[in-house]
Amino acid sequence: MTEATHSTITPILVAQLLVEDGRMPVYVHLIEHPDGRIIVDTGMTELHPAVADMDPLLTPLSEQDLDLSSIDMVVNTHLHFDHCGGDRLFADRPIHVQRQELDDALNLEDYTITEWIAAPQLRFVPVDGEFELLPGIRLVPTPGHTRGSQVVTVETAEGLVVIAGDTAVFHGELDDPRTEGQRIVRALEPVAVWLAHAEEPWRPPAT
Ligand SMILES: [Zn+2]
């Protein structure tokens, strides 16, 4: 008899950034699967002069009620500084990122805080296109916010849920998708989409 390999998803608030006159939350997401625990994005762990104007308020993964050694693998949806700043907490774990994204982040100017991802002990696993991480958990490229962005699709008891990073920053962008990545996410027909900068998941409009 085969058990359904359903996962659960838990958002974790790791930072709040000053944007215009408000605070923008930064969430990472923990996936718990019968065969492993995955962190999707790692937020920020320390301050950096390059982003001082955003006055980050940090509650990093290293200071939360989370056993970092229990994490089996990491996914970066993309490598902007507020998504990869904790990668170094998982230096001996595989970190899955699209190859395009890794190339851009390491080579383009002002893309991210390069020293946070250029550390030699990081075990990046460059991915080309779709990839199954564990049964029921897939990486799907979603170009738009960056050309190497990806999302994670997760089979849950509720149905297919997407962890989308910044493929959309605001819920309204998924109501009215404009980028290729946003259209790909909608075409997956998810029951919910977690975004990095929203407290609640987006859900499709009732039909
Ligand atoms: Zn971003």
Side-chain angles (χ1 to χ4, degrees), residues 41 77-83 101 111 145-146 149 165-167 169 196-197:
D41 288 336
T77 60
H78 65 301
L79 292 170
H80 283 160
F81 72 92
D82 52 330
H83 296 258
E101 184 69 17
Y111 194 93
H145 178 69
T146 68
S149 282
D166 287 355
T167 293
V169 176
H197 301 296

Side-chain angles (χ1 to χ4, degrees), residues 7 12 17 20 30 32 53 55 61 64 72 75 78 99 107-108 117 121 123 131-132 135 157 173 178 184 201:
S7 302
I12 304 173
L17 304 177
E20 287 157 13
L30 171 67
E32 294 176 273
D53 59 326
D55 185 28
L61 284 173
Q64 303 231 5
D72 299 294
V75 173
H78 65 301
R99 186 184 306 276
N107 296 307
L108 299 181
I117 55 166
Q121 70 271 28
R123 281 180 53 200
F131 183 76
E132 185 179 63
E173 295 172 65
R178 300 279 172 95
I184 289 168

Side-chain angles (χ1 to χ4, degrees), residues 121-140:
Q121 70 271 28
L122 294 188
R123 281 180 53 200
F124 281 111
V125 179
V127 177
D128 296 298
E130 293 197 24
F131 183 76
E132 185 179 63
L133 272 185
L134 289 174
I137 302 180
R138 298 183 65 80
L139 306 178
V140 177

Side-chain angles (χ1 to χ4, degrees), residues 11-16 24-28 57-61 64 196:
I12 304 173
L13 179 68
V14 293
Q16 297 176 70
M24 172 176 267
V26 179
Y27 287 92
V28 305
L57 302 177
L58 302 183
T59 47
L61 284 173
Q64 303 231 5

Side-chain angles (χ1 to χ4, degrees), residues 46 48-49 88 112-119 122:
E46 61 189 66
H48 191 284
R88 289 170 300 166
T112 190
I113 297 173
T114 312
E115 66 208 61
W116 288 357
I117 55 166
L122 294 188

Side-chain angles (χ1 to χ4, degrees), residues 60-102:
L61 284 173
S62 49
E63 294 172 17
Q64 303 231 5
D65 185 18
L66 173 74
D67 178 5
L68 298 181
S69 69
S70 75
I71 301 300
D72 299 294
M73 47 184 130
V74 178
V75 173
N76 284 138
T77 60
H78 65 301
L79 292 170
H80 283 160
F81 72 92
D82 52 330
H83 296 258
C84 65
D87 282 15
R88 289 170 300 166
L89 301 173
F90 304 98
D92 53 348
R93 261 56 62 80
I95 303 173
H96 294 81
V97 63
Q98 290 290 318
R99 186 184 306 276
Q100 175 77 68
E101 184 69 17
L102 187 59

